[in-house]
Amino acid sequence: MSDRPVRRQARGLRRMAEILDAAELVIAEVGYPDLTTNQVATRAGMSPGSLYQFFRHKDEILDGLVARYTDERREFWAERMASVTPDIPLEALVSSFVDESVAFKGSSPAYWALLYGSATGDRLAEASQRLHAAIAEQVAEMLVRRSPALDKDRALLMGTMAVSMVKAVIPQNSPELVEELKTMLVGYLSAA
């Protein structure tokens, strides 16, 4: 009997993840402003009434997606940055990080639509700023590990600039610009 609540909770969490997955697909297709809970319910293979047991309206779905993206991206980059050692060539490091960002954009188009291309309000802009500030801090820590004499404030400025460059180029969907981004980042970060 005691296993039943745990199984129900796990099933509920899986169902919430399925709803968020469906919402991502709908946002990638129509954008957040045109998203409806009925579209999400249909895409998730459930009735609107069932969806409302998890998310009462589209803003709650948005909150769920932002929390998912924020947690996943922060954990992803923390893990990747923590594994960086000074003996990894900067060119390989930059290439790997940029390629991973491009791959994420391809696998999560709603992330980019929400955080860069959609009119979803100030709270989304604030969430985006917090996420990118955290990633910039992780880049700064990685730069200091690679160059221990680097001033921490300078490292943070460089991390913020690197994240800003990636944010500006990745949404463009241009392999040529991505290669230029890598060249630019290597040149810029070599000064560390």
Side-chain angles (χ1 to χ4, degrees):
M1 235 11 186
S2 64
D3 288 341
R4 187 169 287 171
V6 172
R7 278 187 278 160
R8 283 184 183 160
Q9 183 179 12
R11 188 174 40 227
L13 292 173
R14 267 195 317 276
R15 200 62 176 138
M16 287 178 72
E18 291 168 358
I19 293 167
L20 294 177
D21 292 343
E24 280 189 278
L25 295 173
V26 173
I27 291 168
E29 290 172 8
V30 303
Y32 178 76
D34 294 331
L35 172 134
T36 67
T37 54
N38 286 344
Q39 291 168 320
V40 174
T42 299
R43 182 60 66 96
M46 63 187 344
S47 71
S50 294
L51 181 137
Y52 295 138
Q53 292 176 12
F54 299 96
F55 299 99
R56 293 175 298 191
H57 45 76
K58 76 184 219 174
D59 286 343
E60 284 188 0
I61 293 172
L62 175 65
D63 291 342
L65 283 172
V66 169
R68 171 194 266 186
Y69 289 140
T70 302
D71 294 344
E72 287 178 359
R73 295 318 293 165
R74 188 176 287 133
E75 288 173 23
F76 174 83
W77 286 113
E79 182 180 302
R80 289 292 290 129
M81 297 292 176
S83 67
V84 172
T85 59
D87 59 319
I88 298 173
L90 185 59
E91 294 80 5
L93 187 63
V94 166
S95 184
S96 172
F97 286 173
V98 170
D99 289 345
E100 288 168 354
S101 295
V102 169
F104 178 70
K105 181 188 183 297
S107 67
S108 301
Y111 172 86
W112 297 90
L114 286 172
L115 295 179
Y116 303 110
S118 194
T120 52
D122 290 340
R123 72 191 162 131
L124 205 72
E126 290 169 11
S128 175
Q129 288 172 344
R130 283 192 309 275
L131 173 61
H132 292 114
I135 295 170
E137 288 174 12
Q138 293 165 347
V139 171
E141 291 169 10
M142 181 264 308
L143 291 172
V144 170
R145 277 197 313 280
R146 290 181 60 83
S147 302
L150 182 62
D151 176 73
K152 290 185 187 327
D153 290 336
R154 175 75 180 145
L156 182 56
L157 182 62
M158 292 178 81
T160 302
M161 186 65 171
V163 169
S164 296
M165 286 187 238
V166 172
K167 283 174 39 181
V169 172
I170 297 297
Q172 311 262 339
N173 281 333
S174 168
E176 295 84 11
L177 284 177
V178 167
E179 289 307 312
E180 287 298 310
L181 172 65
K182 290 177 184 180
T183 300
M184 188 170 61
L185 284 170
V186 168
Y188 178 68
L189 296 175
S190 293

